[in-house]
Every structure is written in structure tokens, then in C-alpha cells.
Amino acid sequence: MPPRETADWIILTSPEPGDIWGVYGNIDSTLLITTGFSIFRTTDGGKSWEKSNYKEGLGIFGFAMNQDTLLALAGRSSGSVNRSPYATTPQFMSMDGGKIWTRNTSFFWNHDRVAPLDLLTAPNGVQYQIDEVLTPICPNCTNNYVETPGFRTSDGRRVALPQMHQLQSLYFDSGQRLYLSGSAATCGGIKNFHFCDGAYGVVYVSKKPLP
């Protein structure tokens, strides 16, 4: 599916079914996405996608850069302070911008090289976080149905996306445009949950910096 646009967002669609777990790069040059067990890159703003050679069978949750080496992060954990999830464990590396991936033999597998997934701090100090709305699944239940309508900021804003999605991560590119990645659009709420029109995940890219 070609990119779509609203007044505030460019919406990219995954080339294969499933959630988009993380992104890296810039929509204006080269952008990478992980759908868990596949890594794709686009150099034309999401009009076409090139699949990398990654076939290791381990889920990839995000990316990080170390000097001239791009790292694919195959672990996911919660921070010790705010409990927000991070992508960790750089088990794979690429020297050509994400086309070819090999086993990481150059860096220790530790939690020093992490990519925050749902809580980012912008250069101006404002925090951006995936917004969660919790609804008890029954009157006396402790479990909640979780909806993620968009994002919220530490200066008190709550911004909803045009459709509901199961959001997985946030990312700022070098121009401070915000990316939100996750599932296809969802419908039906707690009683009749389903994907509205197919199961291909999406990335929302803000048209302006620091939306």
C-alpha cells in the first residue's frame, strides 16, 4: 500500500502482515522497520520496501547506532526507574545501513546499548510517551483492556491519531520528527476487537518537528 497522508501525518504501511515494532533512520533518506522477524528498508518514503537478509529467527524490537555500525536489538526489558520498555541486546550488526546483517561479535551484549520504546525525551526537555487508556475487562476484574489512542507529553498534551492502533514504539529522527509504530488500525473495542481492514502494521510520521 502506498503512503497515505493526513493534515499532520504521513502513514506508512508494512510490506507484510503484523505489527511494526520499531523504526530507525529518516523518511527523507533511508528508513528501517522491524516487523519482529523481518527487517525492511525504504529509500523512497515508503513507496517501496527492500527486505534485508535477516533470517535468524529471533525477534527484533528496535535499532541503535554505534559509530558506523547499526545494531539490531533482539531483547526487550523494562527500565529500573520508570519501568518503560527498552529494546536491548545487540545480537546483530550491519555495516551497510541495514541491507546485510551478521552476528554481532564486536560489542558486549549488555543493557548499555538500549533504545527506549514508549518514552522519549526531546531536545527541549519535553517527554513524549505512548498514551494508554485502561478499561477493566469486567466489574470486579483486575485485568484491563489496553488501548493506545496516540501519545501524551509531559507538558500536558494528549494527541490522538486518526485511527486506533496497538502502538509499540516512539522514535525521533535527526530532524525531530516523531514516528509512532504499531499494529494495523483496530476496531470494535473491548467487546468486538478486530483489525478494521487487514493486519498490516503502520508507522505514523509527523509532518512537523516535535508535534
Side-chain angles (χ1 to χ4, degrees), residues 60-76:
I60 300 300
F61 298 98
F63 304 96
M65 181 66 77
N66 184 78
Q67 297 181 0
D68 60 351
T69 303
L70 184 61
L71 303 170
L73 307 174
R76 181 182 170 99

PDB file of all heavy atoms in Angstrom, residues 60-76:
ATOM      1  N   ILE A  60      13.258  -8.977  16.580  1.00  0.00           N
ATOM      2  CA  ILE A  60      13.985  -7.712  16.664  1.00  0.00           C
ATOM      3  C   ILE A  60      12.997  -6.633  17.090  1.00  0.00           C
ATOM      4  O   ILE A  60      11.952  -6.443  16.459  1.00  0.00           O
ATOM      5  CB  ILE A  60      14.622  -7.346  15.306  1.00  0.00           C
ATOM      6  CG1 ILE A  60      15.612  -8.430  14.870  1.00  0.00           C
ATOM      7  CG2 ILE A  60      15.319  -5.993  15.384  1.00  0.00           C
ATOM      8  CD1 ILE A  60      16.761  -8.658  15.818  1.00  0.00           C
ATOM      9  N   PHE A  61      13.346  -5.916  18.174  1.00  0.00           N
ATOM     10  CA  PHE A  61      12.425  -4.931  18.744  1.00  0.00           C
ATOM     11  C   PHE A  61      12.832  -3.491  18.454  1.00  0.00           C
ATOM     12  O   PHE A  61      12.030  -2.575  18.654  1.00  0.00           O
ATOM     13  CB  PHE A  61      12.327  -5.133  20.257  1.00  0.00           C
ATOM     14  CG  PHE A  61      11.769  -6.472  20.643  1.00  0.00           C
ATOM     15  CD1 PHE A  61      12.602  -7.519  21.005  1.00  0.00           C
ATOM     16  CD2 PHE A  61      10.399  -6.689  20.624  1.00  0.00           C
ATOM     17  CE1 PHE A  61      12.081  -8.752  21.349  1.00  0.00           C
ATOM     18  CE2 PHE A  61       9.869  -7.922  20.967  1.00  0.00           C
ATOM     19  CZ  PHE A  61      10.714  -8.963  21.328  1.00  0.00           C
ATOM     20  N   GLY A  62      14.046  -3.264  18.009  1.00  0.00           N
ATOM     21  CA  GLY A  62      14.487  -1.908  17.733  1.00  0.00           C
ATOM     22  C   GLY A  62      15.904  -1.893  17.210  1.00  0.00           C
ATOM     23  O   GLY A  62      16.522  -2.944  16.971  1.00  0.00           O
ATOM     24  N   PHE A  63      16.434  -0.686  17.039  1.00  0.00           N
ATOM     25  CA  PHE A  63      17.765  -0.498  16.469  1.00  0.00           C
ATOM     26  C   PHE A  63      18.524   0.541  17.290  1.00  0.00           C
ATOM     27  O   PHE A  63      17.943   1.368  17.983  1.00  0.00           O
ATOM     28  CB  PHE A  63      17.665  -0.001  15.020  1.00  0.00           C
ATOM     29  CG  PHE A  63      16.850  -0.883  14.123  1.00  0.00           C
ATOM     30  CD1 PHE A  63      15.506  -0.609  13.881  1.00  0.00           C
ATOM     31  CD2 PHE A  63      17.420  -1.990  13.511  1.00  0.00           C
ATOM     32  CE1 PHE A  63      14.748  -1.406  13.040  1.00  0.00           C
ATOM     33  CE2 PHE A  63      16.663  -2.805  12.675  1.00  0.00           C
ATOM     34  CZ  PHE A  63      15.335  -2.508  12.440  1.00  0.00           C
ATOM     35  N   ALA A  64      19.857   0.499  17.170  1.00  0.00           N
ATOM     36  CA  ALA A  64      20.718   1.507  17.774  1.00  0.00           C
ATOM     37  C   ALA A  64      21.957   1.640  16.916  1.00  0.00           C
ATOM     38  O   ALA A  64      22.347   0.703  16.208  1.00  0.00           O
ATOM     39  CB  ALA A  64      21.091   1.121  19.202  1.00  0.00           C
ATOM     40  N   MET A  65      22.587   2.798  16.960  1.00  0.00           N
ATOM     41  CA  MET A  65      23.800   3.033  16.182  1.00  0.00           C
ATOM     42  C   MET A  65      24.987   3.157  17.121  1.00  0.00           C
ATOM     43  O   MET A  65      24.900   3.818  18.171  1.00  0.00           O
ATOM     44  CB  MET A  65      23.654   4.318  15.358  1.00  0.00           C
ATOM     45  CG  MET A  65      24.860   4.641  14.499  1.00  0.00           C
ATOM     46  SD  MET A  65      25.137   3.444  13.165  1.00  0.00           S
ATOM     47  CE  MET A  65      23.885   3.952  11.977  1.00  0.00           C
ATOM     48  N   ASN A  66      26.081   2.516  16.775  1.00  0.00           N
ATOM     49  CA  ASN A  66      27.341   2.671  17.495  1.00  0.00           C
ATOM     50  C   ASN A  66      28.409   3.055  16.479  1.00  0.00           C
ATOM     51  O   ASN A  66      28.847   2.220  15.678  1.00  0.00           O
ATOM     52  CB  ASN A  66      27.732   1.378  18.209  1.00  0.00           C
ATOM     53  CG  ASN A  66      28.981   1.548  19.048  1.00  0.00           C
ATOM     54  OD1 ASN A  66      28.948   2.089  20.138  1.00  0.00           O
ATOM     55  ND2 ASN A  66      30.101   1.087  18.507  1.00  0.00           N
ATOM     56  N   GLN A  67      28.773   4.346  16.469  1.00  0.00           N
ATOM     57  CA  GLN A  67      29.688   4.891  15.470  1.00  0.00           C
ATOM     58  C   GLN A  67      29.161   4.602  14.069  1.00  0.00           C
ATOM     59  O   GLN A  67      28.117   5.124  13.704  1.00  0.00           O
ATOM     60  CB  GLN A  67      31.099   4.355  15.718  1.00  0.00           C
ATOM     61  CG  GLN A  67      31.653   4.786  17.067  1.00  0.00           C
ATOM     62  CD  GLN A  67      33.043   4.281  17.323  1.00  0.00           C
ATOM     63  OE1 GLN A  67      33.668   3.589  16.516  1.00  0.00           O
ATOM     64  NE2 GLN A  67      33.591   4.632  18.483  1.00  0.00           N
ATOM     65  N   ASP A  68      29.829   3.755  13.280  1.00  0.00           N
ATOM     66  CA  ASP A  68      29.362   3.486  11.928  1.00  0.00           C
ATOM     67  C   ASP A  68      28.678   2.127  11.816  1.00  0.00           C
ATOM     68  O   ASP A  68      28.454   1.634  10.709  1.00  0.00           O
ATOM     69  CB  ASP A  68      30.528   3.552  10.934  1.00  0.00           C
ATOM     70  CG  ASP A  68      31.624   2.540  11.247  1.00  0.00           C
ATOM     71  OD1 ASP A  68      31.566   1.912  12.321  1.00  0.00           O
ATOM     72  OD2 ASP A  68      32.549   2.389  10.420  1.00  0.00           O
ATOM     73  N   THR A  69      28.319   1.538  12.949  1.00  0.00           N
ATOM     74  CA  THR A  69      27.712   0.212  12.959  1.00  0.00           C
ATOM     75  C   THR A  69      26.284   0.285  13.445  1.00  0.00           C
ATOM     76  O   THR A  69      26.006   0.820  14.518  1.00  0.00           O
ATOM     77  CB  THR A  69      28.500  -0.742  13.871  1.00  0.00           C
ATOM     78  OG1 THR A  69      29.865  -0.796  13.427  1.00  0.00           O
ATOM     79  CG2 THR A  69      27.910  -2.143  13.820  1.00  0.00           C
ATOM     80  N   LEU A  70      25.355  -0.244  12.644  1.00  0.00           N
ATOM     81  CA  LEU A  70      23.950  -0.293  13.025  1.00  0.00           C
ATOM     82  C   LEU A  70      23.692  -1.618  13.732  1.00  0.00           C
ATOM     83  O   LEU A  70      24.105  -2.680  13.253  1.00  0.00           O
ATOM     84  CB  LEU A  70      23.069  -0.169  11.785  1.00  0.00           C
ATOM     85  CG  LEU A  70      21.560  -0.115  12.005  1.00  0.00           C
ATOM     86  CD1 LEU A  70      21.177   1.093  12.842  1.00  0.00           C
ATOM     87  CD2 LEU A  70      20.846  -0.074  10.648  1.00  0.00           C
ATOM     88  N   LEU A  71      23.024  -1.556  14.870  1.00  0.00           N
ATOM     89  CA  LEU A  71      22.776  -2.726  15.695  1.00  0.00           C
ATOM     90  C   LEU A  71      21.290  -3.056  15.701  1.00  0.00           C
ATOM     91  O   LEU A  71      20.451  -2.154  15.817  1.00  0.00           O
ATOM     92  CB  LEU A  71      23.250  -2.474  17.125  1.00  0.00           C
ATOM     93  CG  LEU A  71      24.724  -2.090  17.282  1.00  0.00           C
ATOM     94  CD1 LEU A  71      25.005  -1.633  18.703  1.00  0.00           C
ATOM     95  CD2 LEU A  71      25.631  -3.237  16.874  1.00  0.00           C
ATOM     96  N   ALA A  72      20.966  -4.324  15.571  1.00  0.00           N
ATOM     97  CA  ALA A  72      19.591  -4.804  15.717  1.00  0.00           C
ATOM     98  C   ALA A  72      19.446  -5.410  17.097  1.00  0.00           C
ATOM     99  O   ALA A  72      20.250  -6.265  17.502  1.00  0.00           O
ATOM    100  CB  ALA A  72      19.272  -5.835  14.635  1.00  0.00           C
ATOM    101  N   LEU A  73      18.442  -4.968  17.829  1.00  0.00           N
ATOM    102  CA  LEU A  73      18.283  -5.306  19.241  1.00  0.00           C
ATOM    103  C   LEU A  73      17.251  -6.408  19.402  1.00  0.00           C
ATOM    104  O   LEU A  73      16.081  -6.236  19.082  1.00  0.00           O
ATOM    105  CB  LEU A  73      17.872  -4.062  20.028  1.00  0.00           C
ATOM    106  CG  LEU A  73      18.805  -2.849  19.826  1.00  0.00           C
ATOM    107  CD1 LEU A  73      18.246  -1.620  20.514  1.00  0.00           C
ATOM    108  CD2 LEU A  73      20.204  -3.153  20.319  1.00  0.00           C
ATOM    109  N   ALA A  74      17.695  -7.552  19.921  1.00  0.00           N
ATOM    110  CA  ALA A  74      16.859  -8.749  19.979  1.00  0.00           C
ATOM    111  C   ALA A  74      16.303  -9.018  21.367  1.00  0.00           C
ATOM    112  O   ALA A  74      15.752 -10.091  21.618  1.00  0.00           O
ATOM    113  CB  ALA A  74      17.658  -9.963  19.496  1.00  0.00           C
ATOM    114  N   GLY A  75      16.414  -8.061  22.281  1.00  0.00           N
ATOM    115  CA  GLY A  75      15.856  -8.228  23.613  1.00  0.00           C
ATOM    116  C   GLY A  75      14.922  -7.086  23.961  1.00  0.00           C
ATOM    117  O   GLY A  75      14.950  -6.023  23.336  1.00  0.00           O
ATOM    118  N   ARG A  76      14.097  -7.305  24.944  1.00  0.00           N
ATOM    119  CA  ARG A  76      13.155  -6.287  25.405  1.00  0.00           C
ATOM    120  C   ARG A  76      13.058  -6.398  26.916  1.00  0.00           C
ATOM    121  O   ARG A  76      12.858  -7.492  27.456  1.00  0.00           O
ATOM    122  CB  ARG A  76      11.777  -6.503  24.766  1.00  0.00           C
ATOM    123  CG  ARG A  76      10.704  -5.488  25.163  1.00  0.00           C
ATOM    124  CD  ARG A  76       9.384  -5.856  24.489  1.00  0.00           C
ATOM    125  NE  ARG A  76       8.265  -5.078  25.002  1.00  0.00           N
ATOM    126  CZ  ARG A  76       7.748  -4.016  24.415  1.00  0.00           C
ATOM    127  NH1 ARG A  76       8.248  -3.617  23.262  1.00  0.00           N
ATOM    128  NH2 ARG A  76       6.723  -3.371  24.923  1.00  0.00           N
TER     129      ARG A  76
END
